[in-house]
Amino acid sequence: GENVEQHPSTLSVQEGDSAVIKCTYSDSASNYFPWYKQELGKGPQLIIDIRSNVGEKKDQRIAVTLNKTAKHFSLHITETQPEDSAVYFCAASPTSSASKIIFGSGTRLSIRP
Amino acid sequence: NAGVTQTPKFQVLKTGQSMTLQCAQDMNHEYMSWYRQDPGMGLRLIHYSVGAGITDQGEVPNGYNVSRSTTEDFPLRLLSAAPSQTSVYFCASSWTGAQTQYFGPGTRLLVL
């Protein structure tokens, strides 16, 4: 089955700097790669996703890149702000309607003022 | 729409007790799933369902049962609680596994 590894487990960056979180996956059939943000005491919420027919996707300060050959994908947050402090999860899934989605172990991002 | 609701918010059990964690969604989603979240372990999939009457095991199914008699509800049953099941449990729903997962607020479970 699918296995998703996520690094680093914790990340501290200065406000205004960029943050990068990386994930690798094992199942070559996976072609859907979302990223979720979890704020304290809440359930995770989708912030961006990418499918295997594209290599990069941007949404304002957030971007995700995908390298299917190497089976890894990354989340990039630019111009970080205090409200970016949270736990971030990557995930992977094949797009079959019967497929499950598997999450990485999470990255706790802290933004230093 | 209420989205995904979970009850209870917090529960304390003694070892060996049984209980059911409730999950309901009002978005007519076919796919529902249960996760447990432990420090440093991320979100681990317990069981999932791709539609009413269909369930399957995830990464950590032992000690848990599920059923899906309706599209809206997906209860998680602990048959005989163990301290290792102390965790925060999240229910999620979506159209398929490969689309946006909508998470509930979570149930914090403590097994003594």
Side-chain angles (χ1 to χ4, degrees):
Chain A
E2 177 64 274
N3 181 49
V4 178
E5 295 192 355
Q6 183 172 346
H7 301 280
S9 57
T10 60
L11 180 60
S12 178
V13 301
Q14 194 76 32
E15 183 178 350
D17 288 350
S18 296
V20 180
I21 303 170
K22 299 182 179 181
C23 288
T24 60
Y25 62 97
S26 62
D27 189 349
S28 57
S30 288
N31 47 22
Y32 173 65
F33 307 95
W35 287 87
Y36 285 79
K37 177 182 181 181
Q38 184 181 30
E39 297 178 341
L40 195 62
K42 297 183 178 180
Q45 281 194 302
L46 181 76
I47 54 172
I48 193 167
D49 58 13
I50 190 168
R51 298 185 186 270
S52 60
N53 56 343
V54 297
E56 183 176 2
K57 184 176 179 181
K58 286 184 180 180
D59 183 3
Q60 298 182 337
R61 296 185 296 108
I62 293 173
V64 57
T65 59
L66 171 64
N67 183 328
K68 281 222 77 177
T69 303
K71 293 183 188 171
H72 66 71
F73 55 112
S74 301
L75 177 71
H76 304 254
I77 306 174
T78 59
E79 301 174 9
T80 53
Q81 300 171 3
E83 54 264 36
D84 295 329
S85 293
V87 178
Y88 292 81
F89 293 98
C90 63
S93 171
T95 50
S96 162
S97 61
S99 295
K100 58 192 175 188
I101 186 165
I102 299 297
F103 284 79
S105 55
T107 296
R108 182 173 298 278
L109 175 63
S110 300
I111 307 301
R112 304 190 304 271
Chain B
N1 286 353
V4 179
T5 57
Q6 290 183 240
T7 56
K9 284 187 169 58
F10 179 71
Q11 183 73 46
V12 180
L13 290 179
K14 294 182 180 177
T15 297
Q17 287 184 317
S18 63
M19 80 161 295
T20 299
L21 280 63
Q22 301 291 346
C23 174
Q25 52 94 8
D26 60 0
M27 296 173 281
N28 205 31
H29 286 161
E30 292 292 334
Y31 184 95
M32 295 186 74
S33 53
W34 276 101
Y35 296 87
R36 59 178 289 173
Q37 184 173 24
D38 304 296
M41 300 294 290
L43 293 162
R44 290 186 292 170
L45 182 65
I46 304 172
H47 286 283
Y48 67 106
S49 169
V50 298
I54 307 170
T55 64
D56 205 348
Q57 295 182 349
E59 303 167 278
V60 289
N62 293 344
Y64 307 95
N65 277 0
V66 292
S67 60
R68 184 94 179 271
S69 57
T70 67
T71 299
E72 295 78 18
D73 301 296
F74 191 43
L76 178 72
R77 297 183 187 85
L78 282 70
L79 301 177
S80 178
S84 60
Q85 294 178 304
T86 293
S87 189
V88 180
Y89 292 85
F90 287 100
C91 178
S93 75
S94 64
W95 292 112
T96 72
Q99 292 181 292
T100 304
Q101 304 288 308
Y102 293 89
F103 283 84
T107 293
R108 188 173 296 273
L109 178 65
L110 176 62
V111 183
L112 302 174

